[in-house]
Amino acid sequence: MLIFINGTDSYLAREAINKLKTKYLEKNPDGSELIQIDCDVKSPNWADLQAVPLFATSRLVIIKGAGNLAVKDQESLAAYLKDIPSTTVAVVWDQKLLKPKSVLSDLTYKAAKTISAEPLVGTKLISWVNIQAKTLGIEITNEQVRSLVDRFDNDLWALSTELKSGIFQQTEADGYRHELIEKPFLIFDLVRSGQWSELRTHLATTSRR
């Protein structure tokens, strides 16, 4: 069985891979037949795709970054994937666009299952932030969601870190108090370094608080 993870977003790809690994390990807890192949390594051992399981009912072989392979290596991988045993589940994440109309590209197009790891935009990104917040048990307003997306765009790693930290929930006053603690001599530093524009901006901001 071939599962194809298509897209460049490493956060979504990692989530998809972790879910597949968790499901596999529920049935095969020792993990002895779980193989991970990183395509950044020279001359990956594709023979793992052909081996039959010895200590479990099936094998899970995860291949990361197939799109980073040279053309000849992509062709070699495709040759092994064409004839994998029925006891093997092969997961291929491209990470980078595969060569169009290549054997590997055609093969992954016909995969038994395709999981998207394409960068999220628009309503899908907004929905993802809301779902993450709900999962973490965080109450978040539409304004806070928009603010997070404006700051981090679709960098899911940064968005996830910000949600888990809870910093985005600070009020402006909280942020100002934090700034005073972290930089008690900010005005002095700005004057000493001659950063007059930054000083004017800072004074104008603090005068409104």
Side-chain angles (χ1 to χ4, degrees):
M1 179 182 179
L2 175 60
I3 298 174
F4 181 43
I5 301 176
N6 172 37
T8 60
D9 193 299
S10 59
Y11 188 98
L12 293 177
R14 186 198 66 161
E15 277 197 330
I17 289 170
N18 284 344
K19 286 178 182 178
L20 292 169
K21 286 166 63 175
T22 298
K23 186 176 180 180
Y24 176 79
L25 291 171
E26 286 174 356
K27 296 181 179 179
N28 305 279
D30 68 353
S32 58
E33 299 290 350
L34 195 166
I35 310 297
Q36 299 190 74
I37 300 173
D38 192 333
C39 291
D40 288 334
V41 177
K42 290 184 179 179
S43 303
N45 183 19
W46 304 132
D48 280 320
L49 288 163
Q50 297 291 328
V52 295
L54 298 175
F55 307 105
T57 55
S58 63
R59 301 190 98 210
L60 177 62
V61 182
I62 298 168
I63 300 167
K64 301 177 183 178
N68 296 320
L69 292 168
V71 174
K72 64 180 182 62
D73 291 324
Q74 288 190 25
E75 292 175 351
S76 177
L77 171 58
Y80 277 89
L81 286 171
K82 276 184 175 181
D83 192 29
I84 57 175
S86 59
T87 51
T88 294
V89 176
V91 180
V92 177
W93 172 36
D94 58 0
Q95 190 177 10
K96 180 181 176 183
L97 189 66
L98 299 174
K99 182 184 176 185
K101 298 182 180 180
S102 65
V103 178
L104 183 58
S105 178
D106 291 343
L107 196 63
T108 53
Y109 179 77
K110 299 173 184 176
K113 182 178 182 180
T114 298
I115 301 171
S116 176
E118 293 290 353
L120 301 177
V121 295
T123 56
K124 288 184 178 180
L125 180 58
I126 297 294
S127 177
W128 183 89
V129 174
N130 280 309
I131 290 171
Q132 296 301 307
K134 185 177 181 180
T135 301
L136 293 168
I138 296 172
E139 291 187 7
I140 189 169
T141 65
N142 291 335
E143 184 179 354
Q144 287 173 326
V145 172
R146 287 194 296 271
S147 177
L148 285 171
V149 171
D150 286 343
R151 287 172 61 197
F152 300 109
D153 196 19
N154 59 359
D155 184 343
L156 303 190
W157 292 101
L159 286 167
S160 176
T161 299
E162 189 75 4
L163 286 168
K164 290 174 181 176
S165 72
I167 293 175
F168 74 94
Q169 293 176 309
Q170 290 182 345
T171 63
E172 187 176 355
D174 292 332
Y176 180 51
R177 282 193 290 271
H178 177 73
E179 181 181 288
L180 289 178
I181 294 170
E182 292 294 317
K183 298 182 179 179
F185 302 110
L186 178 60
I187 293 177
F188 175 75
D189 290 339
L190 291 174
V191 171
R192 185 174 62 177
S193 59
Q195 299 181 59
W196 308 115
S197 177
E198 289 80 357
L199 176 61
R200 284 194 296 272
T201 301
H202 177 70
L203 292 174
T205 302
T206 55
S207 67
R208 292 197 296 268
R209 290 168 170 161

